[in-house]
Amino acid sequence: MVKLTRIYTRTGDAGKTRLSDGSATLKTDARVAAYGAVDEANCAIGVALALPGIPDEIAKLLALVQNELFDVGADLSNPMVPEPKWEPLRVIAESVTRLEHWCDKFAAKLPELKSFVLPSGTPLAAQLHVVRTLVRRAERAAWEAAEEYGLELTAAHPAGGINPIALRYLNRLSDLAFILARYANCTTGQDELFWVSGGERHSDNKK
């Protein structure tokens, strides 16, 4: 258990911070941007969980995801090394598999998708679309870190690589958020709003 006895430390006033392995880096480092974006997505999930009437099955699922996103952040914050002194916290493949299972489970209950969905509907659905976009941004930020530090350990990047499983986790989570947003609408009788292209809209206006 992490004990936080004092919130402000002044250690970051010079524009630097420390990664999980204790090494110092700039606050503008791609790795820091990545786990910061993961934190943003996690906060958005917290808003979804605070909404009234959220179904228990979704609430329990999201509560677990919130914990796993802390694992993702810790993973991105911990450079990979060949022989770590202590076993670092890493996202595991089973977590990705569980996300895929949830995607399949909830998608099976939805009508066929024939167009792009507009982010709207119930408060829960709309917030889950916010979650979807923030997770996508976190995934892009993590890939930027991977471009800089490499995936895992390679000859070009003998230390400091990014765990590819963490990247897959973020990708699947954004898919799940989209599916759950549709589920939140469809199971409450809320009609989904679909994208109408510019050509179609202009054509309708001429009628």
Side-chain angles (χ1 to χ4, degrees):
M1 180 64 68
V2 178
K3 294 183 179 180
L4 303 175
T5 57
R6 193 174 73 178
I7 301 303
Y8 74 91
T9 61
R10 301 191 180 98
T11 56
D13 291 352
K16 291 187 176 183
T17 188
R18 290 194 178 276
L19 300 175
S20 294
D21 64 352
S23 61
T25 190
L26 294 174
K27 289 189 175 183
T28 54
D29 187 293
R31 192 187 298 276
V32 177
Y35 67 72
V38 169
D39 189 29
E40 288 184 54
N42 208 343
C43 290
I45 292 175
V47 175
L49 285 168
L51 293 173
I54 182 171
D56 286 344
E57 60 178 343
I58 294 181
K60 291 178 181 178
L61 177 162
L62 292 179
L64 176 56
V65 167
Q66 279 202 306
N67 276 277
E68 290 190 328
L69 281 178
F70 263 86
D71 295 346
V72 173
D75 194 331
L76 295 173
S77 176
N78 204 338
M80 301 184 77
V81 296
E83 297 179 3
K85 187 175 182 180
W86 293 283
E87 187 66 28
L89 176 60
R90 298 290 180 203
V91 181
I92 58 176
E94 285 81 356
S95 294
V96 178
T97 301
R98 182 166 53 245
L99 292 180
E100 292 173 346
H101 166 73
W102 285 334
C103 284
D104 294 338
K105 173 185 174 181
F106 287 97
K109 303 176 183 179
L110 298 175
E112 183 181 0
L113 191 59
K114 298 181 179 180
S115 182
F116 292 104
V117 176
L118 296 181
S120 59
T122 66
L124 177 58
Q127 182 60 29
L128 287 170
H129 277 296
V130 174
V131 171
R132 168 182 62 83
T133 58
L134 289 177
V135 173
R136 283 293 188 201
R137 182 161 72 186
E139 182 191 5
R140 292 193 299 271
W143 272 108
E144 287 180 2
E147 288 178 3
E148 181 172 341
Y149 293 105
L151 289 175
E152 296 184 306
L153 303 176
T154 64
H157 300 89
I162 299 294
N163 180 10
I165 299 178
L167 298 169
R168 290 201 293 272
Y169 184 93
L170 292 172
N171 180 271
R172 301 304 190 280
L173 180 56
S174 62
D175 291 336
L176 177 62
F178 173 74
I179 292 169
L180 291 179
R182 294 195 65 213
Y183 182 83
N185 277 333
C186 294
T187 56
T188 57
Q190 175 73 44
D191 290 336
E192 291 187 285
L193 296 181
F194 296 101
W195 173 55
V196 179
S197 69
E200 293 180 77
R201 294 197 308 273
H202 299 327
S203 175
D204 290 341
N205 290 335
K206 293 178 181 178
K207 293 179 181 180

